[in-house]
Amino acid sequence: MKRVLALLAAGTIVSGVCAYSATGQTAVSKPVPRVTLTRLDCGANKTPRDIAAFSDTHALDGQKKALVASCYLIRHGDEYMLWDTGYAASNRTDPKSAIALPRTIVEQLKQLGLDAADIEYVGVSHYHGDHTGQARDFPSASLLIGQGDWSALTAKDRAANVDPAPLAHWITGGGKYEAVRADKDVFGDGSVTILDTPGHTPGHKSLLVRLRGMGNVLLTGDLAHFASNYAGNAVPAFNTNRADTLASLDRFKRMAANLKATVVIQHEPADVAKLPVFPKAAE
């Protein structure tokens, strides 16, 4: 009798926390551990910057805007993942830097009782320096990066604006990495999914985090840089593929609507503020 009751109790627990696919449908009856999402301060422009180049139709000529670089800590049970790593830590102490960086990621993690070695995965949305700047501070982590971006970083005829330095540890074989071709279910239970959203760069990625309390959260990477560009499907002049950008925006927006997700545009101060103020986490 005790065995029957124990089995029934176990079944009740498992059925209450099923894993989900990225589309929101039940995939398997697999327990999902506690998942939290903490926003980290990873730099900001000290003064508003010229944003004309963020539209290839001259819609933003003569305009300036304050932008932030945000990155995120995802806790999945006892595992930790960083999503993007912001500007380089050197901006923290450089008085000539145009970037304000009050605290590094490592310093913020210490406030949470974590060390760099506690981070199992570093996922980067793309290879630009304001998203990879502090990756080198997590050499024991496995790097997750889009296949198109990895190919661009490691090409013999690498483009002049593709800087491999922040990810040199992995490029030279010093750390584990995965070049992600399509979507990737990071932990195998649908709670954290890297989404294929190319266009800004060849292998650009966004991120879906499914939280029990707040619900679904979609982090853009640089699919869009601020709210007006997201709303108007604007394409920056420096994107690598215009058609891919528009297709990725269409997919992302449809997913946001279907999942009733909170969209966080990572460079938009108002969107970053949708998540709790550090050190509190969304869950």
Side-chain angles (χ1 to χ4, degrees), residues 11 31 46 129 158 178 183 191 233 277:
K46 291 180 179 178
R158 185 177 63 247
E178 181 178 349
D183 291 359
S191 61
N233 290 342
V277 177

Side-chain angles (χ1 to χ4, degrees), residues 35-208:
V35 178
T36 68
L37 177 64
T38 304
R39 65 176 168 106
L40 305 173
D41 179 2
C42 293
N45 295 105
K46 291 180 179 178
T47 58
R49 60 175 292 183
D50 186 329
I51 57 172
F54 288 86
S55 168
D56 65 1
T57 62
H58 297 278
L60 300 171
D61 287 2
Q63 296 187 37
K64 293 185 177 183
K65 182 175 175 60
L67 299 176
V68 299
S70 60
C71 36
Y72 302 86
L73 174 69
I74 297 103
R75 176 182 178 181
H76 179 271
D78 294 328
E79 300 174 284
Y80 292 91
M81 171 185 174
L82 283 177
W83 176 250
D84 283 335
T85 63
Y87 285 101
S90 58
N91 288 284
R92 172 83 166 82
T93 55
D94 182 1
K96 297 181 180 179
S97 174
I99 302 302
L101 185 66
R103 296 169 295 175
T104 66
I105 296 176
V106 170
E107 289 170 337
Q108 291 172 80
L109 291 180
K110 286 183 178 179
Q111 289 184 249
L112 299 174
L114 299 172
D115 295 320
D118 293 320
I119 304 302
E120 183 166 353
Y121 298 106
V122 169
V124 294
S125 59
H126 62 296
Y127 55 62
H128 288 159
D130 55 336
H131 293 258
T132 62
Q134 296 176 62
R136 55 171 61 89
D137 296 331
F138 303 92
S140 64
S142 295
L143 176 70
L144 302 176
I145 185 172
Q147 174 65 65
D149 278 25
W150 183 258
S151 296
L153 286 166
T154 57
K156 291 183 179 179
D157 56 346
R158 185 177 63 247
N161 63 345
V162 178
D163 182 11
L167 302 177
H169 172 70
W170 293 272
I171 292 172
T172 59
K176 296 179 181 179
Y177 77 92
E178 181 178 349
V180 181
R181 292 185 178 277
D183 291 359
K184 178 179 176 61
D185 183 346
V186 178
F187 298 104
D189 57 18
S191 61
V192 181
T193 306
I194 294 174
L195 304 173
D196 193 33
T197 53
H200 181 62
T201 60
H204 183 275
K205 303 290 183 180
S206 302
L207 192 72
L208 168 65

